[in-house]
Amino acid sequence: MDISHIFDDLNDAQREAVAAPPSPLLILAGAGSGKTRVLTSRIAYLVEAHGVSPLSIMAVTFTNKASREMRSRIEDMLGLPMGGMWIGTFHGLAHRLLRFHYQEANLPQTFQILDSDDQLRMVKRSLKELALDEAYWPPKQLQWYINGHKEEGRRPANVPVENDPQQKTMLAVYSHYEDLCQRFGLIDFSELLLRAFELLKNNQVLRERYQERFQHVLVDEFQDTNSIQYGWLRLLVQKSHCLFAVGDDDQSIYGWRGAKVENILQFEKDFPDTKVVRLEQNYRSTTNILNAANAVIENNTTRLGKNLWTAGEQGEPVKLYTAYNEQDEATFIIGQIQAWVEQGGLRSETAILYRSNAQSRTFEERLLNVGMPYKVYGGLRFFERAEIKDALAYLRLCDSNDNDPSFERVVNTPTRGIGNKTIDIIREYARQNQLSMWEASNRLIASTQLTSRAQTALATFINLIQEIRSQIVDQDLFQQIEIMLDLSQLIEHFKKEKGEKGEARVENLQELVTAARGYEIDETEDDLAPLSSFLAHASLEAGEGQAEEWEDCVQLMSLHTAKGLEFPLVFLTGLEEGLFPHQRSLEEGSGRLEEERRLCYVGMTRAMKQLWLTHAESRRLYGSEKYTSASRFLSEIPDEMVQAVRVKPKTSYVAPVRKHSAWVDDQSAHESGVAVGMNVSHPKFGEGTVVNLEGHGEYARIQVNFSDVGSKWLVLAYANLTQL
DNA sequence: GTTGTGCGCTTTTTT
DNA sequence: AGCGCACAAC
């Protein structure tokens, strides 16, 4: 078979990785070095050149988006559907495994997935049942504690017990939480992974079956795996040893949530015959951008060592803008984007990146002001919205009566006279008799322990759920949802909510029906009822943030969100000590600063053509105004690699002495006598401030930020400006 | 059962 | 500052 199409566009290192003989492979792939391409090419190569069946390949990613992309790219390359191939996220594949072997995993067939919200509720419930005060035992912290242990593979019995009462209490909560989940067949995200791991670890028959089935296992973003994920992979490839791991230690930015870069080092120890391939040629950024990014990341001590290079052009210098405050920062950036657009660029080619989401606000206000379309990534996603969760809770309750988080969610939504008092009684009764709240309610209704009002209300609710369940059998998925919305009166409930908020909620509910209409059940899930499949899907995939139409708009997102993406024009903002690197990271120590630096590296390497670094000298954050000093990351870039642009204050503001004097006004003197920071007047555009200068003589161009019309590039010779 | 008031917190995010 | 949450008052 002709397999040249797989290799045609690959460089030597990429080819080496793709065509390596079967063995453990560790691909250290720098930013923009084509790692996804290598991963997909490897699969295509295995199938076409070695005749490996897609059925014996597993490819694991972290996000649903990445796994979808991978699947479609492989299908494009091979020209055939890859239905039988296990491509998915760690959680998705673990879920599949547990569904197939629910008995061996000691789960009910109807086990349900708890998302982090549900999990938090369960933690709170555990606290309550143990009579612990939430004020002393913050539920969030307990949730973090529980997940932390699970991610390290520790069950309550394996948590080292010291004679510390605080530790003991936390452990008791973990233990109780686990009992509750087990009793009602509820599985949180980390449990999904831990169960799947234990399933293979403890069940020799299954383990060997899967070890034989999966001759090749491939992982993307290996540096982001946590202990249990890596352990699971190791079990799977114990026989074949064919683990193909692609990762970049310099882009490890999820240590705070349990990711272990050390897994990269451990890999070579666990598999002594590992072949390591480095992908160091970058196809994304200009030399200038790459050099600056390399200069920053070099300051990290714990690196495997790798130096990205590019055969591409030198490009524009990396530029630095020092703003007075966050408002000025936003104004300046938007001026630059306007200039970019005027020169024929697309808004969607530009990205404003920030360390923390709170920073997006200023940018949004300014963008709204000038009427420039933008899209903010992050924030609440579709399946996380309250109204959607309510609707899903109804469905879940119909699907599985013992789902307590769902029960609590909708028992009084819309309000039907079941107040906290009644719910407390149900909860307490359930706890004492080891029942689900559904069961407890049924018994309470039959007893005389409730007021007659509560008794009636509760019975109405139970009947409602049963009514919905009986009406939705044998209906299409979307009709099931419509029936549920109708009988539960959720739509009416949200219609009453005043303002746009209510409208938006109703729209979202309608959108849910649409989503259900278009929902296609995965063929590996044909053992599941469509509704169950849809519900699992909703738990495992929270959906897009905003389901907006595709418009040409400026992209706003956090640095974490930007990982894996690229943009011709990037603004890396808020480069200030305390904000980036973040104060919390500075305080926590132990490698957190290096992680911040990697984050900076990730941000810088998103840029293809032009990278702007910005910081403000004063910033309003958490209500108060603070003077800030420039981020240490800025001083790590040699001066000659950065071109500083600085606007002089309009008023009598005196700039503080800068640490890096070379940044100040190095552009200010121009042969024409015009200087950055000068206030000028234009016959048509009015008054403004010079923010940038380039070129010489008659080609000299000048960028002016006009107070009325925003930022404009003008040819100096024709601009007809007067100095103010 | 809804509506108001005060308090406390405030990084990053996927599943 | 602004938001979410918990508890208190209507």
Side-chain angles (χ1 to χ4, degrees):
Chain A
M1 182 180 282
D2 178 28
I3 53 162
S4 62
H5 67 280
I6 297 176
F7 293 103
D8 278 352
D9 295 327
L10 300 181
N11 65 33
D12 288 347
Q14 290 172 331
R15 282 180 200 182
E16 190 187 350
V18 169
S23 80
L25 276 150
L26 182 59
I27 315 300
L28 298 174
S33 66
K35 75 181 165 64
T36 312
R37 163 185 267 170
V38 165
L39 206 66
T40 50
S41 301
R42 171 70 174 180
I43 294 173
Y45 171 81
L46 290 172
V47 173
E48 292 204 336
H50 285 242
V52 176
S53 160
L55 294 175
S56 56
I57 298 174
M58 177 189 277
V60 199
T61 64
F62 276 87
T63 67
N64 292 295
K65 189 167 158 236
S67 77
R68 270 195 306 270
E69 266 168 29
M70 195 184 295
R71 180 179 292 272
S72 86
R73 281 172 79 158
I74 295 166
E75 287 175 351
D76 283 351
M77 279 182 101
L78 294 177
L80 32 110
M82 291 282 110
M85 190 173 146
W86 283 42
I87 304 182
T89 62
F90 277 101
H91 293 84
L93 297 176
H95 179 234
R96 188 184 293 186
L97 209 54
L98 294 178
R99 253 191 8 254
F100 288 162
H101 308 292
Y102 64 91
Q103 283 161 318
E104 293 92 332
N106 188 23
L107 286 169
Q109 186 166 20
T110 57
F111 76 87
Q112 309 265 313
I113 300 164
L114 294 181
D115 67 19
S116 14
D117 234 50
D118 301 331
Q119 184 185 33
L120 190 62
R121 279 163 206 274
M122 276 317 253
V123 171
K124 285 183 181 168
R125 177 169 163 186
S126 304
L127 286 168
K128 208 164 240 170
E129 296 193 356
L130 295 174
L132 294 168
D133 187 350
E134 284 189 15
Y136 289 100
W137 306 99
K140 280 256 169 63
Q141 222 158 295
L142 264 311
Q143 183 181 24
W144 187 79
Y145 168 90
I146 291 170
N147 288 335
H149 280 306
K150 288 191 182 189
E151 274 154 21
E152 291 296 316
R154 288 190 290 268
R155 292 291 181 192
N158 310 321
V159 176
V161 214
E162 282 154 52
N163 209 12
D164 176 354
Q166 182 151 342
Q167 294 285 324
K168 280 184 175 168
T169 306
M170 306 220 315
L171 183 56
V173 178
Y174 178 13
S175 190
H176 189 71
Y177 167 84
E178 202 178 53
D179 288 347
L180 285 178
C181 291
Q182 180 60 34
R183 197 182 310 151
F184 304 121
L186 302 169
I187 296 271
D188 62 53
F189 287 134
S190 15
E191 183 72 26
L192 223 37
L193 301 174
L194 181 52
R195 272 295 162 120
F197 170 76
E198 289 173 343
L199 179 69
L200 293 185
K201 186 164 170 252
N202 303 331
N203 189 319
Q204 191 190 348
V205 178
L206 280 182
R207 181 172 67 241
E208 288 180 353
R209 196 210 291 180
Y210 282 103
Q211 283 172 348
E212 262 151 50
R213 166 162 183 183
F214 294 115
Q215 290 300 309
H216 295 273
V217 177
L218 301 92
V219 215
D220 196 10
E221 307 278 18
F222 185 61
Q223 77 283 349
D224 289 339
T225 50
N226 62 33
S227 302
I228 212 73
Q229 285 162 334
Y230 178 48
W232 187 69
L233 294 172
R234 230 171 21 204
L235 280 177
L236 279 167
V237 300
Q238 222 170 46
K239 281 232 172 78
S240 73
H241 279 208
C242 286
L243 182 55
F244 188 94
V246 183
D248 181 2
D249 54 317
D250 289 334
Q251 291 188 74
S252 159
I253 55 174
Y254 287 112
W256 53 273
R257 64 172 196 210
K260 290 249 183 322
V261 215
E262 303 85 12
N263 286 344
I264 294 186
L265 296 168
Q266 194 57 37
F267 188 102
E268 290 187 79
K269 287 186 194 143
D270 289 336
F271 302 97
D273 52 334
T274 295
K275 179 179 169 66
V276 180
V277 179
R278 282 185 159 75
L279 305 181
E280 297 180 303
Q281 182 175 1
N282 171 295
Y283 294 95
R284 180 184 294 152
S285 311
T286 63
T287 307
N288 280 331
I289 292 169
L290 224 46
N291 285 346
N294 280 333
V296 172
I297 199 68
E298 270 165 19
N299 291 280
N300 273 2
T301 52
T302 54
R303 293 181 72 206
L304 292 177
K306 180 166 37 50
N307 225 336
L308 274 189
W309 61 278
T310 174
E313 55 191 48
Q314 195 72 29
E316 288 281 305
V318 171
K319 291 185 185 161
L320 172 80
Y321 179 69
T322 301
Y324 316 125
N325 56 31
E326 77 284 350
Q327 299 290 334
D328 178 35
E329 182 184 45
T331 307
F332 177 80
I333 287 174
I334 288 158
Q336 290 293 320
I337 296 175
Q338 283 172 333
W340 171 269
V341 172
E342 273 160 32
Q343 290 178 341
L346 292 172
R347 285 184 286 268
S348 58
E349 290 171 335
T350 68
I352 303 177
L353 309 182
Y354 34 79
R355 173 67 240 259
S356 69
N357 290 116
Q359 288 169 255
S360 78
R361 220 187 142 115
T362 318
F363 296 115
E364 289 187 69
E365 281 166 4
R366 284 293 151 116
L367 284 160
L368 234 31
N369 240 319
V370 299
M372 185 181 285
Y374 65 92
K375 178 171 176 171
V376 185
Y377 290 77
L380 257 202
R381 280 145 352 136
F382 187 70
F383 286 110
E384 287 169 357
R385 289 167 199 275
E387 62 277 16
I388 300 300
K389 296 202 72 171
D390 290 342
L392 294 175
Y394 269 102
L395 296 168
R396 290 214 166 89
L397 206 50
C398 295
D399 201 38
S400 157
N401 291 153
D402 294 338
N403 191 319
D404 282 1
S406 297
F407 184 97
E408 290 209 38
R409 186 160 190 111
V410 295
V411 66
N412 202 31
T413 322
T415 49
R416 48 174 73 82
I418 304 171
N420 270 341
K421 193 79 195 291
T422 312
I423 295 173
D424 275 343
I425 296 172
I426 302 171
R427 228 185 259 124
E428 184 54 22
Y429 190 90
R431 188 184 69 80
Q432 283 183 0
N433 299 287
Q434 305 247 335
L435 297 169
S436 66
M437 293 179 74
W438 173 268
E439 256 311 305
S441 302
N442 275 310
R443 298 214 193 164
L444 281 167
I445 292 166
S447 78
T448 54
Q449 296 180 45
L450 295 173
T451 62
S452 67
R453 229 168 106 187
Q455 193 177 8
T456 320
L458 193 55
T460 311
F461 175 68
I462 299 283
N463 287 336
L464 171 65
I465 297 298
Q466 278 167 343
E467 178 63 17
I468 296 173
R469 188 169 38 195
S470 71
Q471 285 206 25
I472 63 177
V473 282
D474 296 330
Q475 298 283 342
D476 284 338
L477 180 59
F478 78 92
Q479 287 170 325
Q480 295 183 318
I481 295 176
E482 280 177 340
I483 292 167
M484 177 278 298
L485 288 175
D486 182 36
L487 293 178
S488 67
Q489 300 200 291
L490 267 183
I491 294 203
E492 286 77 3
H493 169 68
F494 287 118
K495 266 190 183 150
K496 278 187 220 139
E497 210 171 307
K498 48 193 177 277
E500 286 176 31
K501 210 160 188 178
E503 278 171 49
R505 292 191 194 277
V506 173
E507 273 171 35
N508 283 332
L509 287 172
Q510 278 148 359
E511 181 60 31
L512 182 66
V513 178
T514 311
R517 225 182 249 273
Y519 182 68
E520 278 174 44
I521 194 161
D522 193 315
E523 65 235 68
T524 59
E525 288 184 337
D526 50 16
D527 57 314
L528 278 183
L531 180 58
S532 309
S533 163
F534 184 71
L535 291 174
H537 166 83
S539 296
L540 287 171
E541 181 163 13
E544 291 290 313
Q546 298 133 297
E548 284 170 42
E549 75 279 24
W550 188 244
E551 203 186 352
D552 177 34
C553 47
V554 180
Q555 315 283 303
L556 275 71
M557 66 191 82
S558 72
L559 286 157
H560 285 87
T561 309
K563 191 170 100 166
L565 305 176
E566 58 180 25
F567 308 92
L569 175 60
V570 167
F571 298 88
L572 188 44
T573 69
L575 279 152
E576 295 138 37
E577 283 294 297
L579 183 62
F580 189 27
H582 198 276
Q583 194 59 40
R584 290 279 273 260
S585 299
L586 294 172
E587 283 157 9
E588 281 170 34
S590 79
R592 300 301 304 275
L593 175 64
E594 298 219 340
E595 184 155 305
E596 294 281 310
R597 191 176 279 112
R598 290 192 290 267
L599 195 54
C600 183
Y601 175 76
V602 166
M604 294 175 79
T605 53
R606 299 309 95 195
M608 300 162 78
K609 291 204 161 87
Q610 173 76 70
L611 172 63
W612 275 96
L613 308 171
T614 67
H615 68 125
E617 292 177 321
S618 109
R619 182 176 295 273
R620 190 168 200 90
L621 201 63
Y622 304 139
S624 57
E625 186 117 353
K626 281 208 179 72
Y627 284 97
T628 57
S629 50
S631 169
R632 66 190 71 194
F633 302 146
L634 286 174
S635 54
E636 290 168 2
I637 309 172
D639 288 349
E640 63 272 16
M641 288 190 190
V642 187
Q643 190 182 75
V645 173
R646 189 148 207 284
V647 183
K648 287 212 179 106
K650 299 169 193 117
T651 58
S652 60
Y653 174 91
V654 178
V657 178
R658 305 213 40 79
K659 228 172 20 169
H660 311 285
S661 54
W663 295 351
V664 181
D665 292 344
D666 66 352
Q667 274 207 326
S668 55
H670 192 265
E671 72 235 11
S672 62
V674 178
V676 166
M678 195 175 266
N679 288 320
V680 294
S681 171
H682 183 273
K684 205 165 115 209
F685 301 135
E687 293 181 11
T689 309
V690 179
V691 292
N692 209 350
L693 276 168
E694 64 179 40
H696 301 279
E698 61 177 312
Y699 302 109
R701 300 187 331 124
I702 178 172
Q703 189 186 20
V704 183
N705 197 7
F706 292 102
S707 47
D708 295 336
V709 293
S711 171
K712 298 241 178 261
W713 277 98
L714 306 164
V715 176
L716 191 53
Y718 305 107
N720 200 10
L721 294 169
T722 41
Q723 191 182 343
L724 293 176

